[in-house]
Amino acid sequence: MTDVRIELSEANLPRIAAETDVEVPTYDRSQITTGIVHVGVGGFFRAHQATYLDRLMNEGKALDFGIVGVAALPHDRRIFDAMSAQDGLYTLLLKHPDGHK
């Protein structure tokens, strides 16, 4: 696919799926209920546990394990604002040790 720039938002998920090779949630995010409160909103948690939950939710499982991040410290504000502007969505790029993606 060609290099496409699309603002990350809930409304743009269908376009992102159609015009890029970026995987998007296949589940209805409005039906997820909170099951996890995570103190901090950093990338480590999102790149690990949240990724596993997203995979399960794409299989129709763990829909009652939605995550609420608590931005408790002043330095959490920047990521909280960025995540809020993207409807809580983010992009995760996996790069394997041999360099393939």
Side-chain angles (χ1 to χ4, degrees):
M1 296 200 172
T2 60
D3 211 11
V4 177
R5 291 182 184 250
I6 304 170
E7 183 177 314
L8 186 55
S9 69
E10 182 76 29
N12 286 337
L13 287 178
R15 182 173 171 215
I16 292 168
E19 297 180 23
T20 73
D21 59 357
V22 175
E23 293 180 29
V24 299
T26 58
Y27 50 91
D28 181 353
R29 293 176 70 230
S30 71
Q31 297 303 305
I32 304 299
T33 57
T34 301
I36 297 172
V37 175
H38 186 264
V39 178
V41 290
F44 187 84
F45 177 80
R46 288 182 282 122
H48 293 87
Q49 186 171 2
T51 298
Y52 296 122
L53 288 169
D54 181 64
R55 289 179 185 166
L56 288 171
M57 290 175 185
N58 276 324
E59 296 174 7
K61 303 171 186 171
L63 301 177
D64 56 347
F65 279 93
I67 303 164
V68 172
V70 177
L73 300 173
H75 65 271
D76 290 330
R77 188 67 196 190
R78 191 178 110 254
I79 190 66
F80 174 82
D81 290 342
M83 293 288 292
S84 295
Q86 299 170 172
D87 298 329
L89 296 164
Y90 61 94
T91 303
L92 177 67
L93 174 67
L94 298 178
K95 188 172 180 182
H96 300 272
D98 65 4
H100 82 278
K101 296 177 184 176

